[in-house]
Amino acid sequence: MTEFKRRRRRLMRLMGKDSIAILPTAPAMTRSRDVEHPYRPDSDFYYLTGFTEPESVAVLRPSHKEGEYLLFCRERDPKKELWNGLRAGLEGAKKHYGADEALTIGKLNEALPQMLESCERVYYPIGHHPELDRLMPEWIAAIRAKSRSGIKGPREIHALDLILHEMRLFKGAAEIEAMRIAAVIAAEGHKRMMRACKPGMPEYRLESEFLHECATRGARQAAYPAIVGGGANACILHYTENNEVLRDGDLVLIDAGCEYGCYASDITRTFPVNGVFSPVQRELYQLVLDAQHAAIAEVRPGNPCNAPHEAAVRVLAKGMIKLELLKGLLSRLLKKEGYKKFFMHRTSHWLGMDVHDVGAYLKDEKPRVLQPGMVLTIEPGLYIPRECKEVAKKWRGIGIRIEDDVLVTEEGHEILSTAAPKEIHEIEALMAS
Ligand code: GLY
Ligand code: MN
Ligand code: MN
């Protein structure tokens, strides 16, 4: 709770006095009829509050005499709690979650316009919560209608998410610890899949091994739906059907990460279904691995955030010319982005509470500089479609990606997902064991 309080303080300092921040959490979502999806709070909301119940709205008012942090939440209700679990209630919000004041969520519509009256600036996540987007202009119009009585109301509206996302981009010690755990758990899941894999298994069998390992270790939610693509399915970037049979002689690409304490891991490994890389698979795999090593080497403070991508495409393009997958001069292929034919996505994205985490990639229209506390993925790949007639037959239908989660440190970087093997000899040794 001290960590959440520190974040609220920091945000309030950035907002200044005479301002108010309003931040709702995510709604509970129906899956079908009366069954809901597992509940997950909104990342921005959780980042500031640590509160995990739906139907909650946080309000921050820097230096306000009646308290700076107000939480609208559900009241206690013994009948509903008997069926659906305990609630913190208004007292719990204050006692356990550090709210200076707590009000029932049913009072939001009545209480918020009053709070807005005395503020000059309003911060809220514009465009993210349809109900709030609809109500905010109504509330402000109602205040304006009272202007003859001397009430002025807010004059500026700011996107709260932009400030918060800049904060979230730089991970503190507790966040890094959660991310280390999320990465280690997912890495153990990948190892388990390597050990379990046998020709003839359905792809979903590997997914189940991953989910079992993660859930056993306390990470019951995946960070995103797992991709388990055997053979040419690996060339479909977001393949999630995971229902085909894994064939002897094919590779399998698995992109799977878990969530721990609301922090994500995002790991991809590609390995031979039968445990041994063929000479052709070995050549292509080593090229992607070399590109990944080159990209990771660029992760250090002061480097632009696209430096890993630039390094990866240089190695990949050079290798593709050598293997006769592409023709032409390296400089021209790089300039014209000819490598995109077989490597069509970026090498990195920010990672944090969300798998494609928040935070701007550009500053003053240029790739921003890497700084300690940022976490990004490094995930080069090569995908040669089965029907690609321009390349030798031996390469067709192979898809490879290798993805790690990398923290920028003062000295350079730390690979959080290093427990999942990726060198050819390590994978073969683990699969043989
Ligand atoms: N798993 C999604 C990604 O790698 O970006
Ligand atoms: Mn991934
Ligand atoms: Mn990723």
Side-chain angles (χ1 to χ4, degrees):
M1 286 304 134
T2 28
E3 171 90 8
F4 296 115
K5 185 170 182 177
R6 200 179 49 76
R7 294 175 192 164
R8 291 193 295 271
R9 283 258 161 88
R10 173 126 189 267
L11 173 64
M12 285 193 275
R13 268 203 306 278
L14 293 169
M15 289 162 55
K17 67 177 178 50
D18 298 324
S19 63
I20 186 168
I22 301 160
L23 181 58
T25 193
M29 299 293 255
T30 301
R31 182 175 174 274
S32 179
R33 199 162 158 80
D34 61 351
V35 175
E36 287 179 353
H37 285 286
Y39 184 70
R40 163 67 157 75
D42 174 83
S43 296
D44 286 339
F45 177 88
Y46 181 81
Y47 179 77
L48 287 180
T49 64
F51 197 67
T52 54
E53 293 184 25
E55 297 182 67
S56 316
V57 177
V59 175
L60 298 180
R61 296 182 291 174
S63 308
H64 199 276
K65 56 186 183 307
E66 283 156 33
E68 296 189 309
Y69 172 31
L70 183 115
L71 189 61
F72 287 91
C73 61
R74 304 177 303 186
E75 285 176 282
R76 298 211 60 175
D77 180 332
K79 267 198 208 134
K80 289 203 171 127
E81 288 181 54
L82 171 68
W83 287 90
N84 299 319
L86 298 180
R87 299 172 170 191
L90 308 185
E91 278 313 305
K94 290 192 278 189
K95 196 164 164 209
H96 304 300
Y97 294 92
D100 299 315
E101 193 51 74
L103 290 175
T104 171
I105 186 72
K107 287 248 162 56
L108 185 78
N109 238 325
E110 184 187 320
L112 257 188
Q114 273 176 27
M115 293 179 200
L116 289 171
E117 283 180 3
S118 55
C119 296
E120 301 235 332
R121 264 162 290 119
V122 184
Y123 292 81
Y124 79 99
I126 302 166
H128 292 279
H129 301 269
E131 181 73 352
L132 191 58
D133 286 327
R134 186 179 64 77
L135 286 170
M136 189 60 74
E138 284 181 21
W139 289 334
I140 293 178
I143 298 170
R144 292 266 183 279
K146 293 198 238 170
S147 62
R148 265 175 295 168
S149 56
I151 298 169
K152 291 203 201 80
R155 287 185 303 186
E156 296 171 22
I157 295 181
H158 295 262
L160 174 62
D161 41 323
L162 296 185
I163 310 181
L164 271 178
H165 294 175
E166 192 61 19
M167 287 171 68
R168 279 178 53 194
L169 180 55
F170 297 89
K171 276 73 179 173
E175 298 185 278
I176 291 168
E177 195 46 34
M179 293 191 74
R180 267 201 199 102
I181 296 172
V184 166
I185 292 176
E188 288 301 325
H190 278 267
K191 280 162 74 178
R192 186 185 178 108
M193 292 188 282
M194 288 178 192
R195 282 193 292 257
C197 190
K198 297 270 178 313
M201 275 183 175
E203 292 162 339
Y204 58 73
R205 171 67 202 282
L206 292 186
E207 181 180 12
S208 77
E209 296 287 342
F210 178 80
L211 295 174
H212 179 84
E213 188 68 29
C214 294
T216 303
R217 292 170 179 267
R220 289 180 53 222
Q221 296 298 325
Y224 51 89
I227 296 166
V228 184
N233 290 339
C235 299
I236 304 168
L237 295 180
H238 288 168
Y239 174 81
T240 51
E241 283 85 355
N242 303 352
N243 59 4
E244 290 194 20
V245 170
L246 295 163
R247 288 192 319 233
D248 200 351
D250 277 351
L251 293 175
V252 57
L253 180 157
I254 303 174
D255 185 341
C258 66
E259 196 173 90
Y260 184 84
C262 281
Y263 284 82
S265 50
D266 181 8
I267 304 178
T268 307
R269 289 294 182 261
T270 308
F271 55 88
V273 168
N274 63 15
V276 181
F277 286 87
S278 73
V280 168
Q281 292 165 349
R282 186 178 286 262
E283 257 186 308
L284 214 54
Y285 184 89
Q286 192 60 48
L287 174 56
V288 177
L289 189 57
D290 291 345
Q292 209 230 11
H293 284 307
I296 291 176
E298 293 299 321
V299 180
R300 58 173 176 270
N303 253 7
C305 68
N306 67 337
H309 181 68
E310 301 293 328
V313 296
R314 175 165 279 275
V315 174
L316 288 174
K318 220 169 149 181
M320 285 191 270
I321 294 170
K322 190 162 158 245
L323 300 179
E324 296 179 354
L325 284 161
L326 292 177
K327 290 192 188 71
L329 284 174
L330 177 63
S331 55
R332 194 174 156 76
L333 279 177
L334 291 173
K335 192 160 171 234
K336 297 271 178 204
E337 301 184 329
Y339 54 83
K340 277 194 170 168
K341 186 164 181 200
F342 301 123
F343 176 43
M344 58 297 283
H345 58 78
R346 302 285 303 176
T347 303
S348 299
H349 55 78
W350 304 130
L351 183 71
M353 300 183 78
D354 289 288
V355 63
H356 294 162
D357 207 33
V358 294
Y361 290 90
L362 299 177
K363 251 196 169 162
D364 304 324
E365 293 173 36
K366 288 203 288 283
R368 74 186 300 159
V369 160
L370 295 172
Q371 288 172 261
M374 292 172 162
V375 181
L376 67 162
T377 63
I378 301 290
E379 48 177 310
L382 278 181
Y383 314 91
I384 325 276
R386 202 166 18 202
E387 55 287 345
C388 183
K389 296 283 185 296
E390 304 99 276
V391 303
K393 209 166 168 193
K394 62 179 181 179
W395 304 119
R396 294 181 205 161
I398 300 182
I400 297 168
R401 177 164 65 256
I402 307 169
E403 176 174 31
D404 279 304
D405 304 342
V406 185
L407 164 72
V408 185
T409 62
E410 299 284 348
E411 297 76 32
H413 62 255
E414 175 190 334
I415 306 174
L416 305 179
S417 45
T418 196
K422 63 181 175 186
E423 299 297 328
I424 289 176
H425 66 93
E426 290 173 345
I427 291 176
E428 291 187 341
L430 179 67
M431 293 185 76
S433 71

